[in-house]
Amino acid sequence: MNFPGAIANRESAKYAIIGAPLDKSTTFQPGTRFGPEQIRSFSHSFEDYDHHTGLRFTELDVYDHGDIRPSDDVEEYLEYLSGITSDLVNEGKFPVLLGGEHTISLAGFRAVNPDVIISIDAHLDLRDTFDGNKYNHACIMARGKEVADKITVIGARAGSEAEWVQTKNEDITVVPVEEVPNWEFDMTDKSVYLTVDIDGADPAFAPGTGTKEPFGLTSRQMQTIVRSIAPHADGMDIVEVNDRDNGEAATLAGKLARESIFGHATKEQE
């Protein structure tokens, strides 16, 4: 099943959707292996026309590369996924990865090699390892620090004491939920990668995720943040959607993926 409206072929595409159904290290409720399928399925009801931008999704040259199935070796899988994503980036396409657990973002980071990573997430994910595993989904921003100069985490409200100590460093910025209404994107001169963990939303809006954290962002706040960043981003992903709800998380994820592409396309047409 392709992402609805992704009707371009690879040669002519400007945007490339890549499914990455990795489900190896989720620490509470698994199910992210079904994430890409869920997101595509629950995006079928969306209108082609977007009144906010005046654009039609089917006219934006979006290509769906399909899912890259994980192997048992996560490090090997990430290298393979990064290689495929890099090929698409080198062909001039804007990559949109659909997870899968948050670990898959490392492939996007490596392919885009951004100056800045902006993460919408309930969790800091700054542990260097978790249970001895540096590719655990709770370590993805620690891996991001190995690629980018600066990390910004929007909506974070959970982390260990050691992780919160790290946020005092100059290369890490945290925007708490209560400060989101006053936050403005001001990195238009930087290469930016956007990663959206669906648990950045309050569980009331997106219950289909493995590590729920109350007191989160509203779906409207997520839309506003994505709209402000997407025109300036060089790649993005949406992760941690599972199949443990009635499609609320997948519906929000699908809509945010489209918001990113619509927003980026608007910038391209200026």
Side-chain angles (χ1 to χ4, degrees), residues 94-105:
F94 181 97
V96 179
L97 282 79
L98 304 180
E101 66 181 61
H102 211 160
T103 310
I104 68 101
S105 299

Side-chain angles (χ1 to χ4, degrees), residues 19 49 71 196 233 247:
Y49 179 73
S71 62
V196 180

Side-chain angles (χ1 to χ4, degrees), residues 109-202:
F109 300 163
R110 289 172 172 169
V112 172
N113 192 27
D115 301 320
V116 180
I117 296 170
I118 300 179
S119 176
I120 302 174
D121 199 330
H123 308 92
L124 293 172
D125 290 347
L126 286 167
R127 289 175 167 88
D128 187 54
T129 63
F130 190 95
D131 287 343
N133 178 13
K134 71 176 187 178
Y135 296 116
N136 186 284
H137 73 151
C139 307
I140 187 59
M141 284 303 107
R143 302 287 77 78
K145 286 170 55 185
E146 297 169 354
V147 177
D149 298 329
K150 186 173 177 55
I151 302 288
T152 296
V153 187
I154 301 175
R157 51 198 182 276
S160 67
E161 182 177 358
E163 288 178 281
W164 284 109
V165 170
Q166 285 192 61
T167 65
K168 300 182 186 304
N169 298 337
E170 290 184 357
D171 59 347
I172 301 173
T173 299
V174 174
V175 184
V177 173
E178 58 271 24
E179 294 180 12
V180 165
N182 299 319
W183 180 78
E184 293 184 359
F185 178 77
D186 60 355
M187 292 174 272
T188 56
D189 60 334
K190 304 291 186 184
S191 172
V192 173
Y193 186 94
L194 172 64
T195 175
V196 180
D197 186 325
I198 204 67
D199 71 21
D202 190 276

Side-chain angles (χ1 to χ4, degrees), residues 6-138:
I7 58 175
N9 59 42
R10 177 165 179 164
E11 288 70 27
S12 64
K14 296 178 181 176
Y15 300 90
I17 292 173
I18 308 143
L22 183 66
D23 195 2
K24 283 284 188 181
S25 74
T26 42
T27 48
F28 187 46
Q29 294 180 312
T32 54
R33 72 195 66 180
F34 303 111
E37 178 183 343
Q38 285 280 101
I39 294 169
R40 291 185 179 101
S41 176
F42 281 91
S43 296
H44 269 287
S45 63
F46 298 149
E47 295 282 357
D48 187 37
Y49 179 73
D50 177 58
H51 77 281
H52 181 72
T53 60
L55 300 174
R56 295 183 183 278
F57 194 78
T58 52
E59 295 176 353
L60 298 182
D61 298 320
V62 183
Y63 160 70
D64 192 333
H65 190 78
D67 287 355
I68 308 301
R69 293 288 171 188
S71 62
D72 288 337
D73 187 328
V74 172
E75 185 172 7
E76 181 181 87
Y77 174 68
L78 290 170
E79 289 180 4
Y80 184 61
L81 180 61
S82 177
I84 289 174
T85 308
S86 293
D87 288 344
L88 292 163
V89 170
N90 291 335
E91 292 170 18
K93 307 179 200 320
F94 181 97
V96 179
L97 282 79
L98 304 180
E101 66 181 61
H102 211 160
T103 310
I104 68 101
S105 299
L106 183 56
F109 300 163
R110 289 172 172 169
V112 172
N113 192 27
D115 301 320
V116 180
I117 296 170
I118 300 179
S119 176
I120 302 174
D121 199 330
H123 308 92
L124 293 172
D125 290 347
L126 286 167
R127 289 175 167 88
D128 187 54
T129 63
F130 190 95
D131 287 343
N133 178 13
K134 71 176 187 178
Y135 296 116
N136 186 284
H137 73 151

